[in-house]
Amino acid sequence: MRVVVLSDTHYLPQYRTLLEKTVTEIAALNPDCVIAAGDVGERLMGFDAMLALLSRLPCPRLILAGNHDLWARDGLSSQELWEHELPRLTHNHGAIWLEGANWVSDGLGVCGTLAWYDYTGKDPAINMTDADYASNKAQIVMDGSLINWPWTDQAFAAQIGAAFSARLAALEADSAVREILVVTHAPIFMEAVVRKPGNYAWNVGNAYFYNLTLGPTVTASPKVSAVISAHTHEGVIATVAGIHRPIELRVIPADYGKPAYVV
């Protein structure tokens, strides 16, 4: 089974040629499945255009949202994007909305989630509380200005985390599934956390990069063998000590105009 995971494509018209080249490279790998791990496109038009490019691939395509995909613009709220528009476009392109369904083939189960940040990745060297990160969010990251749903970060993270945990448990209970690949937008392990000494802006932003709450749920799984994440634009390769087996960890180093994927 060959699975390709790409992320943070941030589709904009000026990136189209690069992204077409990336999709052509992926097609040459003859993957059994391709997963987009969030931040698919800028604005709903970009999300739609990137899914159209991915529809050239003759294999199942599994789609996750990233925080940029949920920015409220063009008259749509973040809640409307999350609950209706992004799943609708995904289905219109014949792809699978991975936030709502697992994918199983030939003994492999894929379980995914946006894994919204919940401040658990905050830098302990910075003297800010969770309340500080919530109240000052608009001064630190664009999400503070462009995410306009009714939930707090921690409440939304808990809500979708519980749904993810239930989907993971379903794969664990499925006797046809021998191995599980977990894909998240925000990284979920401490081994993925990147600190940059002396870079205050980066380190204060760490609160909005990670959801370490989900890590223990995944490490407790006897079937999870790999976790692929995105969001930070910082590549990481590590091994996490799962309770039952070592877990391969990758964070995809994609950035604006710099497509990247892992196989």
Side-chain angles (χ1 to χ4, degrees), residues 119 122 128-137 140 154 208:
Y119 311 160
K122 65 188 178 186
M128 288 177 63
T129 65
D130 287 356
D132 293 330
Y133 282 110
S135 62
N136 293 292
K137 185 176 175 181
I140 303 170
Q154 289 160 320
Y208 314 102

Side-chain angles (χ1 to χ4, degrees), residues 16-81:
R16 183 175 181 88
T17 300
L18 278 170
L19 293 171
E20 286 181 326
K21 179 175 180 290
T22 299
V23 171
T24 299
E25 289 176 3
I26 291 172
L29 295 171
N30 295 314
D32 298 285
C33 172
V34 171
I35 305 169
D39 283 358
V40 175
E42 297 297 321
R43 300 183 182 272
L44 196 62
M45 184 182 300
F47 188 90
D48 188 34
M50 189 65 214
L51 290 192
L53 286 183
L54 292 174
S55 69
R56 299 177 181 181
L57 298 167
C59 65
R61 287 149 284 119
L62 319 181
I63 310 299
L64 288 173
N67 55 307
H68 281 238
D69 299 314
L70 296 164
W71 284 0
R73 295 180 289 193
D74 305 320
L76 292 167
S77 72
S78 299
Q79 185 172 4
E80 288 172 315
L81 289 165

Side-chain angles (χ1 to χ4, degrees), residues 59-129:
C59 65
R61 287 149 284 119
L62 319 181
I63 310 299
L64 288 173
N67 55 307
H68 281 238
D69 299 314
L70 296 164
W71 284 0
R73 295 180 289 193
D74 305 320
L76 292 167
S77 72
S78 299
Q79 185 172 4
E80 288 172 315
L81 289 165
W82 172 251
E83 294 180 342
H84 305 293
E85 294 304 312
L86 299 183
R88 178 184 64 80
L89 283 179
T90 299
H91 295 143
N92 285 352
H93 284 282
I96 296 166
W97 182 243
L98 196 53
E99 200 74 49
N102 295 323
W103 182 77
V104 176
S105 179
D106 195 25
L108 173 70
V110 177
C111 191
T113 181
L114 164 60
W116 193 259
Y117 48 78
D118 60 359
Y119 311 160
T120 47
K122 65 188 178 186
D123 187 340
I126 295 176
N127 187 26
M128 288 177 63
T129 65

Side-chain angles (χ1 to χ4, degrees), residues 60-255:
R61 287 149 284 119
L62 319 181
I63 310 299
L64 288 173
N67 55 307
H68 281 238
D69 299 314
L70 296 164
W71 284 0
R73 295 180 289 193
D74 305 320
L76 292 167
S77 72
S78 299
Q79 185 172 4
E80 288 172 315
L81 289 165
W82 172 251
E83 294 180 342
H84 305 293
E85 294 304 312
L86 299 183
R88 178 184 64 80
L89 283 179
T90 299
H91 295 143
N92 285 352
H93 284 282
I96 296 166
W97 182 243
L98 196 53
E99 200 74 49
N102 295 323
W103 182 77
V104 176
S105 179
D106 195 25
L108 173 70
V110 177
C111 191
T113 181
L114 164 60
W116 193 259
Y117 48 78
D118 60 359
Y119 311 160
T120 47
K122 65 188 178 186
D123 187 340
I126 295 176
N127 187 26
M128 288 177 63
T129 65
D130 287 356
D132 293 330
Y133 282 110
S135 62
N136 293 292
K137 185 176 175 181
Q139 284 71 53
I140 303 170
V141 291
M142 289 294 291
D143 288 359
S145 302
L146 293 175
I147 296 292
N148 68 346
W149 49 37
W151 310 289
T152 66
D153 289 326
Q154 289 160 320
F156 183 67
Q159 170 189 318
I160 67 170
F164 164 78
S165 297
R167 293 194 301 276
L168 183 62
L171 290 178
E172 290 291 350
D174 187 345
S175 60
V177 174
R178 300 186 302 274
E179 189 170 6
I180 298 172
L181 167 65
V182 169
V183 181
T184 68
H185 183 62
I188 61 173
F189 293 126
M190 182 59 73
E191 289 85 349
V193 174
V194 176
R195 310 286 193 210
K196 298 184 179 181
N199 188 336
Y200 179 81
W202 173 270
N203 293 332
V204 75
N206 274 188
Y208 314 102
F209 291 168
Y210 306 100
N211 180 326
L212 305 184
T213 301
L214 288 180
T217 299
V218 174
T219 55
S221 166
K223 293 183 180 180
V224 173
S225 61
V227 176
I228 313 297
S229 301
H231 185 45
T232 65
H233 300 183
E234 294 281 337
V236 174
I237 300 175
T239 300
V240 176
I243 293 174
H244 302 276
R245 63 194 296 180
I247 297 173
E248 177 188 358
L249 165 65
R250 299 289 294 273
V251 180
I252 303 170
D255 206 340

